[in-house]
Amino acid sequence: MDTVIPRKSKKIRFVAAGAVVILLLGALTWMAFSRKRELDVKKGEVLIKTASEEPFEDFTVFNARVEPLQTMLINVLESGSVQQIFAENGSVVEKGQPLVKLYNPNSELSYMNQETAVIEQMNNLNNGKLNIRNQELSLTKDVSSIEHDYNEAKRLYDLNSVLFDKGVISRNDWNITKEAYRYQSERRNQILEGIKREKASNRIQIAQINRSLATMEKSLAIIRANKNNLLVLAPVSGTLTSFEPVLGKQYGGGETLGKIDLKKGYKLTAEVDEFYLDKIAEGQKGHIDVAGKDVTVIVTKRVPEVKGGRFTVELAFLGAQPQVQQGTSFGVRLTLSASRRSLVVPKGSFYSDTAGKWIFVVNGATAQRRSIRVGRENPDYYEITEGLKPGDRVITSSYRDFTEADILNLQ
């Protein structure tokens, strides 16, 4: 009798086959990713340098232009259009010398109206003061009349007093005389007291009028001075620079027409990349070459405001100032830190492709990728703090064509 052999399930066979395929694909993937990616490169197309220990000085180089140590801006005080130009750019001017005459009919009319109004007010105040003086003169005349009446009453009183005692005049006449004297005495005292108060009040009014007149005199002086603002004068003596007014051009109040160089020496001004904002400080020294002579300069001012990716630095000459011309530019080598021995690699294009995170190290006919860490830098070198040792030969030229490679075969 035949034995029945059970058939294997097709499902089990499919699962087993799938597992084998997955294992094969995984193995192939692992081999593909674990295998180092190689690339053939002509040795003459790359630049090879040697890492070495050198005295590393952190410095930067930038261009700086010569500018006057002190300048004075020439500003327009009153808006107007240019009517006349009396000086040229680069000429030497004296303080108070006319430079430009502007024309503004509206301003001139306004100043005339203001001046007329102030003069009218001053005339009114002067008339008021004159009226007070006339009142005082009238009071003086009143005092003379009162004194006359009082003296006449007193004379009769003294005379009739003697006559009454001798019985020459009657009591009725004596009483009339006494009453007249009493009236004139009281009248005199009251009027004199009123005049005294009136004069005190007049003195106060005159003092107030005088103060008002003094204020108006100052206002009038300011108005007349403002009328002259249309004539732009040199604020100081010196040399005109950046002075280029145009006939007929309209300038607004506060707008700058140019500068005046005070001829008190020169300084250097530079626009430096914002990368060095935290590295540059006042007191740092640098060097420039003036006609073949090394000249030391020092940072005197750092403006931390960044515009267009750059900030402003001002430098002064140490020692005797060299013969320089305004507007001339010099390359400044500014020392950022003291010199010390460090492992360095010459600068190259590789840094922009790797951000300083790795580099190709040459070993015989190949170059292998190696992780590194870059510290400080200057225009000549990168400081290497990890990943290399002295004597390592590295490729410093551009990696643009082989950033994905692990090994370069140098042919």
Side-chain angles (χ1 to χ4, degrees), residues 73-75 84-101 228-240 243 257 259-260:
L73 294 178
I74 305 170
N75 293 326
Q84 286 181 281
I85 301 174
F86 304 107
E88 295 181 354
N89 190 40
S91 60
V92 178
V93 296
E94 298 294 329
K95 181 178 180 180
Q97 179 178 332
L99 303 178
V100 171
K101 184 179 180 181
N228 295 328
N229 286 341
L230 292 171
L231 181 63
V232 181
L233 306 177
V236 292
S237 299
T239 303
L240 277 177
F243 183 72
L257 285 176
K259 302 177 183 178
I260 294 182

Side-chain angles (χ1 to χ4, degrees), residues 244-258:
E244 297 177 352
V246 179
L247 285 174
K249 183 177 178 179
Q250 181 77 22
Y251 290 91
E255 195 169 347
T256 300
L257 285 176

Side-chain angles (χ1 to χ4, degrees), residues 16 191 232 308 318 326 352 363 405:
I191 291 178
V232 181
L318 278 182
Q326 181 178 342
S352 61
N363 184 11

Side-chain angles (χ1 to χ4, degrees), residues 80-153:
S81 57
V82 177
Q83 189 177 43
Q84 286 181 281
I85 301 174
F86 304 107
E88 295 181 354
N89 190 40
S91 60
V92 178
V93 296
E94 298 294 329
K95 181 178 180 180
Q97 179 178 332
L99 303 178
V100 171
K101 184 179 180 181
L102 304 176
Y103 176 66
N104 188 330
N106 293 331
S107 293
E108 291 183 357
L109 180 60
S110 174
Y111 287 137
M112 289 177 61
N113 292 334
Q114 293 176 34
E115 184 177 8
T116 301
V118 171
I119 291 175
E120 185 177 353
Q121 292 179 19
M122 292 176 66
N123 289 335
N124 291 336
L125 289 174
N126 283 320
N127 289 334
K129 188 162 67 171
L130 180 61
N131 290 335
I132 292 173
R133 297 298 186 192
N134 291 333
Q135 290 176 9
E136 289 187 348
L137 181 60
S138 178
L139 290 175
T140 301
K141 293 179 179 179
D142 291 342
V143 169
S144 299
S145 177
I146 292 166
E147 288 291 346
H148 175 268
D149 294 342
Y150 169 77
N151 290 332
E152 182 64 21

Side-chain angles (χ1 to χ4, degrees), residues 257-273:
L257 285 176
K259 302 177 183 178
I260 294 182
D261 175 9
L262 273 62
K263 293 297 184 181
K264 293 186 177 181
Y266 294 97
K267 63 183 178 182
L268 295 175
T269 302
E271 301 296 325
V272 184
D273 191 278

Side-chain angles (χ1 to χ4, degrees), residues 209-254:
I209 290 174
N210 288 335
R211 286 195 294 270
S212 297
L213 286 171
T215 302
M216 290 183 180
E217 287 284 359
K218 292 179 180 178
S219 299
L220 193 60
I222 292 173
I223 292 172
R224 288 171 176 170
N226 288 340
K227 287 173 62 178
N228 295 328
N229 286 341
L230 292 171
L231 181 63
V232 181
L233 306 177
V236 292
S237 299
T239 303
L240 277 177
T241 59
S242 304
F243 183 72
E244 297 177 352
V246 179
L247 285 174
K249 183 177 178 179
Q250 181 77 22
Y251 290 91

